[in-house]
Amino acid sequence: MEPEGRDLFAIADLAREFGISTRAIRFYESKGLLAPERVGATRIFRRRDRARLILILRGKRLGFSLRDISDYLSLYDADRTQQVHLLAEKVDQRIALLERQRDDLETTIRELREIRKLADERLVKS
DNA sequence: ATTCTAACA
DNA sequence: TGTTAGGA
């Protein structure tokens, strides 16, 4: 009766499972995103830590800074409601930034296509 | 073998 | 973050 798997993990276990380096995991801890237990100096990760790591990696995939992710995770124990508000705010900011970048890219592509068209016309005249 | 800290790239 | 050194 244990469909949950282990609840104790070594740093290498998590690194392997999520395809990241042990260095990255220690780095996240140094930034306050993780706080695994210690047995001496060795880190012992539990399901709770693993769950946080999953959230960290998801946040990264979506382009959020470790700072943003940290601020978000910090609200888990306190204001769960404020956490949702912060998330909404950050997501809106992220979407706004991506849309701006998309517009800039489209503008650049249009310019390059125009240059390319002019280049072809010159070749034809030559 | 594995992990840890610290420092440099 | 990767890599490397040196130790537990």
Side-chain angles (χ1 to χ4, degrees), chain A residues 60-101:
Chain A
K60 281 203 56 185
R61 263 186 355 238
L62 297 178
F64 292 102
S65 67
L66 290 184
R67 187 46 182 284
D68 285 338
I69 298 170
S70 176
D71 293 339
Y72 174 74
L73 291 178
S74 297
L75 296 177
Y76 191 89
D77 310 292
D79 324 81
R80 196 65 70 75
T81 295
Q82 190 184 323
Q83 183 181 41
V84 178
H85 291 338
L86 176 65
L87 177 63
E89 181 185 321
K90 290 302 179 181
V91 167
D92 286 344
Q93 286 178 16
R94 184 67 185 144
I95 289 176
L97 173 60
L98 288 172
E99 293 183 325
R100 263 177 282 155
Q101 297 181 322

Side-chain angles (χ1 to χ4, degrees), chain A residues 14-122:
Chain A
L14 297 180
R16 221 175 305 130
E17 178 175 7
F18 300 111
I20 59 180
S21 64
T22 55
R23 173 75 177 85
I25 294 175
R26 294 191 185 98
F27 184 70
Y28 300 153
E29 180 186 345
S30 77
K31 293 304 179 183
L33 304 197
L34 292 172
E37 293 168 35
R38 298 273 189 154
V39 170
T42 302
R43 298 173 177 73
I44 299 299
F45 298 80
R46 296 179 166 260
R47 288 213 186 77
R48 180 57 168 278
D49 304 305
R50 183 171 170 284
R52 286 177 68 96
L53 179 56
I54 289 175
L55 289 178
I56 293 169
L57 297 178
R58 173 188 288 176
K60 281 203 56 185
R61 263 186 355 238
L62 297 178
F64 292 102
S65 67
L66 290 184
R67 187 46 182 284
D68 285 338
I69 298 170
S70 176
D71 293 339
Y72 174 74
L73 291 178
S74 297
L75 296 177
Y76 191 89
D77 310 292
D79 324 81
R80 196 65 70 75
T81 295
Q82 190 184 323
Q83 183 181 41
V84 178
H85 291 338
L86 176 65
L87 177 63
E89 181 185 321
K90 290 302 179 181
V91 167
D92 286 344
Q93 286 178 16
R94 184 67 185 144
I95 289 176
L97 173 60
L98 288 172
E99 293 183 325
R100 263 177 282 155
Q101 297 181 322
R102 182 190 57 197
D103 292 344
D104 288 342
L105 284 173
E106 292 177 335
T107 295
T108 299
I109 289 174
R110 279 191 225 98
E111 290 178 22
L112 289 172
R113 282 182 173 148
E114 181 60 23
I115 291 174
R116 187 52 215 280
K117 191 182 73 178
L118 294 175
D120 281 339
E121 293 175 358
R122 292 188 187 184

